[in-house]
Coordinates of all heavy atoms in Angstrom, one line a residue:
A216 N -1.8 86.3 -70.4 CA -0.9 85.2 -70.3 C -0.1 85.3 -69.0 O 0.2 86.4 -68.5 CB 0.1 85.2 -71.4
S217 N 0.2 84.2 -68.4 CA 1.1 84.1 -67.2 C 2.5 84.5 -67.6 O 2.8 84.5 -68.8 CB 1.1 82.7 -66.6 OG 1.7 81.8 -67.5
V218 N 3.3 84.9 -66.7 CA 4.7 85.2 -67.0 C 5.4 84.0 -67.5 O 6.2 84.1 -68.5 CB 5.4 85.8 -65.7 CG1 6.9 86.0 -66.0 CG2 4.8 87.1 -65.2
A219 N 5.0 82.8 -67.0 CA 5.7 81.6 -67.5 C 5.3 81.4 -69.0 O 6.2 81.0 -69.8 CB 5.2 80.4 -66.7
L220 N 4.1 81.6 -69.4 CA 3.7 81.5 -70.8 C 4.3 82.6 -71.6 O 4.7 82.3 -72.7 CB 2.1 81.5 -70.9 CG 1.6 81.3 -72.3 CD1 1.9 79.9 -72.8 CD2 0.1 81.6 -72.4
E221 N 4.3 83.8 -71.1 CA 4.9 84.9 -71.8 C 6.4 84.6 -72.1 O 6.9 84.9 -73.2 CB 4.8 86.2 -71.0 CG 5.5 87.4 -71.6 CD 5.6 88.6 -70.7 OE1 5.3 88.4 -69.5 OE2 5.9 89.7 -71.2
T222 N 7.1 84.1 -71.1 CA 8.5 83.8 -71.3 C 8.7 82.8 -72.4 O 9.7 82.9 -73.2 CB 9.1 83.3 -70.0 OG1 8.9 84.3 -69.0 CG2 10.6 83.0 -70.1
M223 N 7.9 81.8 -72.5 CA 8.0 80.8 -73.5 C 7.6 81.3 -74.8 O 8.2 81.1 -75.9 CB 7.1 79.6 -73.1 CG 7.2 78.4 -74.0 SD 6.3 78.4 -75.6 CE 4.6 78.7 -75.0
A224 N 6.5 82.1 -74.9 CA 5.9 82.6 -76.2 C 6.8 83.7 -76.8 O 6.8 83.8 -78.0 CB 4.5 83.1 -76.0
E225 N 7.6 84.4 -76.0 CA 8.4 85.4 -76.6 C 9.9 84.9 -76.9 O 10.6 85.5 -77.7 CB 8.5 86.6 -75.6 CG 7.2 87.4 -75.5 CD 7.3 88.6 -74.6 OE1 8.5 89.0 -74.2 OE2 6.3 89.2 -74.3
G226 N 10.3 84.0 -76.1 CA 11.7 83.6 -76.2 C 12.0 82.1 -76.4 O 13.1 81.6 -76.5
G227 N 10.9 81.3 -76.2 CA 11.1 79.8 -76.4 C 11.6 79.1 -75.1 O 11.8 77.9 -75.2
D228 N 11.7 79.8 -74.0 CA 12.2 79.2 -72.8 C 11.0 78.6 -72.0 O 10.2 79.4 -71.5 CB 12.9 80.3 -71.9 CG 13.4 79.8 -70.6 OD1 13.3 78.6 -70.3 OD2 13.9 80.7 -69.8
N229 N 11.0 77.3 -71.9 CA 9.9 76.6 -71.2 C 10.1 76.3 -69.8 O 9.3 75.6 -69.2 CB 9.5 75.4 -72.0 CG 10.5 74.3 -72.0 OD1 11.4 74.3 -71.2 ND2 10.4 73.4 -73.0
S230 N 11.3 76.7 -69.2 CA 11.6 76.3 -67.9 C 10.6 76.7 -66.8 O 10.4 75.9 -65.8 CB 13.0 76.8 -67.5 OG 13.0 78.3 -67.5
Q231 N 10.0 77.8 -66.9 CA 9.0 78.3 -65.9 C 7.7 77.5 -66.1 O 7.1 77.2 -65.1 CB 8.8 79.8 -66.0 CG 10.0 80.6 -65.6 CD 9.6 82.1 -65.6 OE1 8.6 82.5 -65.0 NE2 10.4 83.0 -66.2
L232 N 7.4 77.1 -67.3 CA 6.2 76.3 -67.5 C 6.3 75.0 -66.8 O 5.4 74.4 -66.2 CB 5.9 76.1 -69.0 CG 5.2 77.3 -69.7 CD1 5.1 76.9 -71.2 CD2 3.9 77.7 -69.1
L233 N 7.5 74.4 -66.9 CA 7.7 73.1 -66.4 C 7.6 73.0 -64.9 O 7.4 71.9 -64.3 CB 9.1 72.6 -66.8 CG 9.3 72.3 -68.3 CD1 10.7 72.0 -68.6 CD2 8.4 71.2 -68.8
V234 N 7.8 74.1 -64.2 CA 7.7 74.1 -62.7 C 6.5 74.8 -62.2 O 6.5 75.2 -61.0 CB 9.0 74.7 -62.1 CG1 10.2 73.9 -62.4 CG2 9.2 76.1 -62.5
L235 N 5.4 74.9 -63.0 CA 4.2 75.5 -62.5 C 3.7 74.7 -61.2 O 3.8 73.5 -61.1 CB 3.1 75.4 -63.6 CG 3.3 76.4 -64.8 CD1 2.2 76.1 -65.8 CD2 3.3 77.8 -64.3
E236 N 3.1 75.5 -60.3 CA 2.6 74.9 -59.1 C 1.7 73.8 -59.2 O 1.7 72.8 -58.4 CB 2.0 76.1 -58.2 CG 1.6 75.6 -56.8 CD 1.0 76.8 -56.0 OE1 1.0 77.9 -56.5 OE2 0.7 76.6 -54.9
N237 N 0.8 73.8 -60.2 CA -0.2 72.7 -60.3 C 0.3 71.5 -61.1 O -0.4 70.5 -61.4 CB -1.5 73.3 -61.0 CG -1.3 73.7 -62.4 OD1 -0.1 74.0 -62.8 ND2 -2.3 73.8 -63.2
A238 N 1.6 71.5 -61.5 CA 2.2 70.4 -62.3 C 2.5 69.2 -61.4 O 3.2 69.4 -60.3 CB 3.4 70.8 -63.1
I239 N 2.0 68.0 -61.7 CA 2.4 66.9 -60.9 C 3.5 66.0 -61.6 O 4.1 65.1 -61.0 CB 1.2 66.0 -60.6 CG1 0.5 65.5 -61.9 CG2 0.1 66.7 -59.7 CD1 -0.7 64.5 -61.6
A240 N 3.7 66.4 -62.8 CA 4.8 65.7 -63.6 C 5.1 66.6 -64.8 O 4.2 67.3 -65.3 CB 4.5 64.3 -64.0
N241 N 6.3 66.6 -65.3 CA 6.6 67.4 -66.5 C 7.7 66.8 -67.3 O 8.5 65.9 -66.8 CB 7.0 68.8 -66.1 CG 8.2 68.9 -65.2 OD1 9.3 68.5 -65.7 ND2 8.1 69.3 -64.0
A242 N 7.8 67.1 -68.6 CA 8.9 66.7 -69.4 C 9.1 67.7 -70.6 O 8.1 68.5 -70.8 CB 8.6 65.3 -70.0
S243 N 10.2 67.7 -71.2 CA 10.5 68.6 -72.3 C 11.2 67.8 -73.4 O 12.0 66.9 -73.1 CB 11.3 69.8 -71.8 OG 11.7 70.6 -72.9
S244 N 11.0 68.2 -74.7 CA 11.8 67.7 -75.7 C 13.2 68.2 -75.6 O 13.5 69.2 -74.9 CB 11.2 68.1 -77.1 OG 11.3 69.6 -77.3
E245 N 14.1 67.5 -76.1 CA 15.5 67.8 -76.0 C 15.9 69.1 -76.7 O 16.9 69.8 -76.3 CB 16.4 66.7 -76.4 CG 16.3 65.4 -75.6 CD 17.2 64.3 -76.0 OE1 18.0 64.5 -77.0 OE2 17.3 63.3 -75.3
G246 N 15.2 69.4 -77.7 CA 15.6 70.6 -78.5 C 14.4 71.1 -79.3 O 13.3 70.5 -79.2
P247 N 14.6 72.1 -80.2 CA 13.6 72.6 -81.1 C 13.1 71.5 -82.1 O 13.8 70.5 -82.3 CB 14.2 73.7 -81.8 CG 15.4 74.1 -81.0 CD 15.9 72.9 -80.3
V248 N 11.9 71.7 -82.6 CA 11.4 70.8 -83.7 C 11.3 71.5 -85.0 O 10.5 72.5 -85.1 CB 10.0 70.2 -83.2 CG1 9.6 69.2 -84.2 CG2 10.1 69.7 -81.8
G249 N 12.1 71.2 -85.9 CA 12.1 71.9 -87.2 C 10.9 71.6 -88.0 O 10.1 70.7 -87.8
P250 N 10.7 72.4 -89.1 CA 9.6 72.2 -90.0 C 9.6 70.8 -90.6 O 10.6 70.4 -91.1 CB 9.8 73.3 -91.1 CG 10.6 74.4 -90.4 CD 11.4 73.7 -89.4
G251 N 8.5 70.1 -90.5 CA 8.4 68.8 -91.1 C 9.0 67.7 -90.2 O 8.8 66.5 -90.5
A252 N 9.6 68.1 -89.0 CA 10.2 67.1 -88.1 C 9.2 66.7 -87.0 O 8.2 67.4 -86.8 CB 11.5 67.6 -87.5
S253 N 9.6 65.7 -86.3 CA 8.8 65.2 -85.1 C 9.7 64.9 -83.9 O 10.9 64.7 -84.1 CB 8.0 63.9 -85.5 OG 7.1 64.1 -86.6
T254 N 9.1 64.9 -82.8 CA 9.8 64.6 -81.5 C 8.8 63.8 -80.6 O 7.6 64.1 -80.7 CB 10.3 65.8 -80.8 OG1 11.2 65.4 -79.7 CG2 9.2 66.7 -80.2
T255 N 9.3 62.9 -79.8 CA 8.5 62.2 -78.9 C 9.0 62.4 -77.4 O 10.2 62.3 -77.2 CB 8.5 60.7 -79.1 OG1 7.9 60.4 -80.4 CG2 7.7 59.9 -78.1
I256 N 8.1 62.9 -76.6 CA 8.4 63.2 -75.2 C 7.7 62.1 -74.3 O 6.5 61.9 -74.5 CB 8.0 64.6 -74.8 CG1 8.5 65.6 -75.8 CG2 8.4 64.9 -73.4 CD1 7.5 66.3 -76.6
T257 N 8.5 61.5 -73.4 CA 7.9 60.5 -72.5 C 7.7 61.2 -71.1 O 8.6 61.8 -70.6 CB 8.8 59.3 -72.3 OG1 9.0 58.7 -73.6 CG2 8.2 58.3 -71.4
L258 N 6.5 61.0 -70.6 CA 6.1 61.6 -69.3 C 5.5 60.5 -68.4 O 4.7 59.7 -68.9 CB 5.1 62.7 -69.5 CG 4.7 63.5 -68.2 CD1 4.5 65.0 -68.5 CD2 3.3 62.9 -67.7
T259 N 6.0 60.4 -67.2 CA 5.5 59.4 -66.2 C 4.9 60.1 -65.0 O 5.5 61.1 -64.4 CB 6.6 58.5 -65.8 OG1 7.1 57.8 -66.9 CG2 6.1 57.5 -64.8
T260 N 3.7 59.7 -64.5 CA 3.1 60.2 -63.3 C 2.6 59.1 -62.4 O 2.4 57.9 -62.9 CB 1.9 61.1 -63.7 OG1 1.3 61.6 -62.5 CG2 0.9 60.4 -64.5
D261 N 2.4 59.4 -61.2 CA 1.9 58.3 -60.2 C 0.4 58.4 -60.0 O -0.1 57.7 -59.1 CB 2.7 58.4 -58.9 CG 2.6 59.7 -58.2 OD1 1.8 60.6 -58.7 OD2 3.2 59.9 -57.2
S262 N -0.3 59.2 -60.7 CA -1.7 59.3 -60.5 C -2.4 59.4 -61.9 O -1.9 60.0 -62.8 CB -2.1 60.5 -59.7 OG -3.5 60.6 -59.6
L263 N -3.6 58.7 -62.0 CA -4.3 58.7 -63.2 C -5.7 59.5 -63.0 O -6.3 59.9 -64.0 CB -4.6 57.3 -63.8 CG -5.1 57.1 -65.2 CD1 -4.1 57.7 -66.2 CD2 -5.3 55.7 -65.5
A264 N -6.1 59.6 -61.8 CA -7.4 60.2 -61.5 C -7.5 61.7 -62.0 O -6.6 62.5 -61.6 CB -7.7 60.2 -60.0
E265 N -8.4 62.0 -62.9 CA -8.6 63.3 -63.4 C -7.4 63.9 -64.1 O -7.2 65.1 -64.1 CB -9.1 64.3 -62.3 CG -10.4 63.8 -61.6 CD -10.9 64.8 -60.6 OE1 -10.2 65.8 -60.3 OE2 -12.0 64.6 -60.0
L266 N -6.6 63.0 -64.6 CA -5.3 63.5 -65.2 C -5.5 64.2 -66.5 O -6.2 63.8 -67.4 CB -4.4 62.3 -65.4 CG -3.0 62.6 -65.9 CD1 -2.2 63.4 -64.9 CD2 -2.2 61.3 -66.3
K267 N -4.8 65.4 -66.6 CA -4.8 66.2 -67.8 C -3.4 66.4 -68.3 O -2.5 66.5 -67.5 CB -5.6 67.5 -67.6 CG -7.0 67.3 -67.2 CD -7.7 68.6 -66.8 CE -9.1 68.4 -66.3 NZ -9.2 67.5 -65.2
L268 N -3.2 66.5 -69.6 CA -1.9 66.9 -70.2 C -2.1 68.2 -70.9 O -3.0 68.4 -71.7 CB -1.4 65.8 -71.1 CG -1.0 64.4 -70.5 CD1 -0.4 63.5 -71.6 CD2 -0.1 64.6 -69.3
S269 N -1.1 69.0 -70.8 CA -1.0 70.3 -71.5 C 0.4 70.3 -72.2 O 1.4 69.8 -71.6 CB -1.2 71.5 -70.6 OG -2.5 71.5 -70.1
L270 N 0.5 71.0 -73.3 CA 1.8 71.2 -73.9 C 1.8 72.5 -74.6 O 0.8 73.0 -75.0 CB 2.1 70.0 -74.9 CG 1.3 69.8 -76.2 CD1 1.8 70.6 -77.3 CD2 1.2 68.4 -76.5
A271 N 3.0 73.1 -74.7 CA 3.1 74.4 -75.3 C 4.5 74.5 -76.0 O 5.5 74.0 -75.5 CB 2.9 75.5 -74.3
T272 N 4.6 75.3 -77.1 CA 5.8 75.5 -77.8 C 5.7 76.8 -78.6 O 4.6 77.1 -79.1 CB 6.1 74.3 -78.7 OG1 7.3 74.6 -79.5 CG2 5.0 74.0 -79.7
M273 N 6.8 77.5 -78.7 CA 6.8 78.8 -79.5 C 7.0 78.6 -81.0 O 7.8 77.7 -81.3 CB 7.8 79.7 -78.9 CG 7.9 81.1 -79.6 SD 9.4 82.0 -79.2 CE 9.1 83.5 -80.1

Side-chain angles (χ1 to χ4, degrees):
S217 66
V218 173
L220 183 66
E221 176 189 13
T222 302
M223 188 279 302
E225 291 183 9
D228 178 3
N229 65 20
S230 59
Q231 292 188 48
L232 283 177
L233 293 173
V234 295
L235 287 176
E236 185 177 359
N237 65 340
I239 60 175
N241 62 65
S243 174
S244 64
E245 293 184 358
V248 186
S253 298
T254 188
T255 297
I256 306 116
T257 299
L258 181 143
T259 299
T260 178
D261 58 6
S262 176
L263 193 61
E265 300 182 358
L266 184 66
K267 300 172 180 61
L268 292 187
S269 294
L270 63 92
T272 176
M273 178 191 183

